[in-house]
Amino acid sequence: MGEVLALVEARLRTALGEPDARAAVTFLGTDRMEVLRFIDGDIVRYATLGMSGQPMNDPQDVLADPVKGPRAELLLSVRAGLADTDKVLRPLAVLASSPQVEGVIVAPGNSMDVGAPLWPQAPFSSVLVAGSGGLVEDLELDEPMDPVHFLPLLPMTANEAAWKRVHGAAALQERWLKHGTDLRDPLRRSVPLT
């Protein structure tokens, strides 16, 4: 696990630069989750470190495979200075722990909800998991391990999350694109859904 996380951190540093802060959270019965913060001009990026230490396994499998299975870390990008987004560290650690705690496989198109605002005054308690390969390239690991995917998180309002459940992730992303939604705005309003 430690070797994988060292490679993951090196990939994050190569793609995003040196982190200017890091925090660690450990939940009962889970591995330690860290969240690294990177500043890029007026954008703050948060990246989890720890989720990829173990592969995600289907909760229906009788025995969890300790080597094979999807691996991922989560990325969140927001505009700096508009809200106290550093309070997102614990919610991000909660989301990164969900494969171990709840036995879920986090994949593009999934919705994840923390049940409370992601940061003070945030109109979001849930996120849409986007596809990897953009900001941070996937990290290939030695066989038989699966690569580590760096999955961007797109905050959703309660209305957007409800609309997504009915119409799907692609339709919501299309609506965001059509309306020129700034998904990095930590205080943005819901996209028009009618």
Side-chain angles (χ1 to χ4, degrees):
M1 176 176 155
E3 183 181 321
V4 169
L5 296 183
L7 293 170
V8 168
E9 184 167 354
R11 175 57 56 94
L12 288 169
R13 288 172 184 265
T14 300
L16 305 176
E18 286 299 309
D20 81 319
R22 66 192 309 146
V25 179
T26 304
F27 302 104
L28 188 62
T30 68
D31 295 326
R32 171 185 162 114
M33 292 296 159
E34 288 190 86
V35 179
L36 310 182
R37 183 180 71 187
F38 301 86
I39 306 291
D40 182 12
D42 69 336
I43 302 295
V44 182
R45 301 188 196 285
Y46 300 94
T48 63
L49 179 63
M51 183 175 166
S52 61
Q54 295 182 33
M56 295 180 274
N57 288 285
D58 189 319
Q60 309 218 355
D61 291 346
V62 176
L63 266 158
D65 191 317
V67 179
K68 288 187 65 63
R71 294 175 188 258
E73 295 291 353
L74 307 175
L75 301 169
L76 176 69
S77 299
V78 293
R79 296 208 176 281
L82 301 176
D84 187 8
T85 56
D86 280 349
K87 299 285 197 249
V88 78
L89 301 178
R90 186 169 178 79
L92 274 179
V94 168
L95 295 175
S97 297
S98 63
Q100 288 183 43
V101 174
E102 300 171 26
V104 297
I105 294 178
V106 177
N110 289 163
S111 298
M112 301 174 77
D113 196 312
V114 294
L118 293 174
W119 50 82
Q121 281 80 51
F124 324 104
S125 66
S126 62
V127 293
L128 174 65
V129 181
S132 66
L135 190 60
V136 181
E137 285 184 38
D138 293 347
L139 174 65
E140 296 294 329
L141 299 174
D142 292 337
E143 291 288 337
M145 293 187 284
D146 290 18
V148 176
H149 300 288
F150 297 89
L151 303 173
L153 300 179
L154 309 174
M156 295 186 292
T157 65
N159 287 344
E160 290 169 341
W163 197 86
K164 182 254 176 198
R165 281 192 292 278
V166 174
H167 300 281
L172 178 59
Q173 289 177 302
E174 191 176 298
R175 190 159 285 271
W176 281 335
L177 193 60
K178 177 183 171 190
H179 290 276
T181 306
D182 180 3
L183 296 174
R184 295 176 178 168
D185 180 349
L187 299 172
R188 74 172 179 83
R189 295 177 185 223
S190 184
V191 71
L193 297 171
T194 54

